[in-house]
Amino acid sequence: MNLPDFAARCGWPPKEQVVRGRLDALGMLVICRRCSGSGQYLHNPLDARCYGCAGEGRKLPPLTARLAAVVRGRQERGDLKQYFDECRRRYEGARA
Ligand SMILES: [Zn+2]
C-alpha cells in the first residue's frame, strides 16, 4: 500500500516525515541492509551516502494493512504518547 493510504489507516497526516517519525518512535523502522544501518556506502567514492536509505541508516518497513492495524493498536495503548509530548514541547519551544 502507498504511504497516504497507510497514513489514512493509522489516522495520520499523509506525509512521509510524519509517518517515518511515528514509526521510528514505535521502533518499527528497519535497518538498511545495504549499509547495515551506518548510512554510509563506501563503494561510491564521490558520495559515501548510502542510496538504499538516503544516508539515514534505517528505512520504512513495508507499509501493509497488517502493520497499520498493529500501529493503531499500539497507538490506542498510548505507545506514542511520549513522542507526541516531545513533539508538542519542540513545537512550543520553537514558538516561544
Ligand atoms: Zn543504507
Side-chain angles (χ1 to χ4, degrees):
M1 118 176 17
N2 64 27
L3 190 126
D5 285 349
F6 180 81
R9 280 186 191 239
C10 297
W12 297 349
K15 290 186 182 158
E16 181 167 350
Q17 200 190 349
V18 170
V19 170
R20 195 187 161 89
R22 293 178 184 185
L23 289 179
D24 190 12
L26 290 171
M28 287 176 167
L29 292 185
V30 296
I31 300 288
C32 173
R33 269 189 288 176
R34 185 176 293 280
C35 63
S36 307
S38 70
Q40 307 259 302
Y41 191 63
L42 300 172
H43 295 268
N44 179 350
L46 295 178
D47 181 4
R49 208 167 52 156
C50 173
Y51 53 82
C53 61
E56 300 277 352
R58 289 172 306 159
K59 310 202 297 181
L60 289 174
L63 301 176
T64 60
R66 198 192 158 116
L67 180 67
V70 172
V71 165
R72 284 196 76 104
R74 289 197 51 191
Q75 193 163 235
E76 277 156 27
R77 272 194 353 225
D79 285 5
L80 277 174
K81 189 184 175 303
Q82 197 184 345
Y83 171 78
F84 286 132
D85 286 349
E86 223 162 84
C87 288
R88 196 173 314 120
R89 262 199 303 277
R90 224 175 297 149
Y91 178 67
E92 283 165 3
R95 284 170 66 205

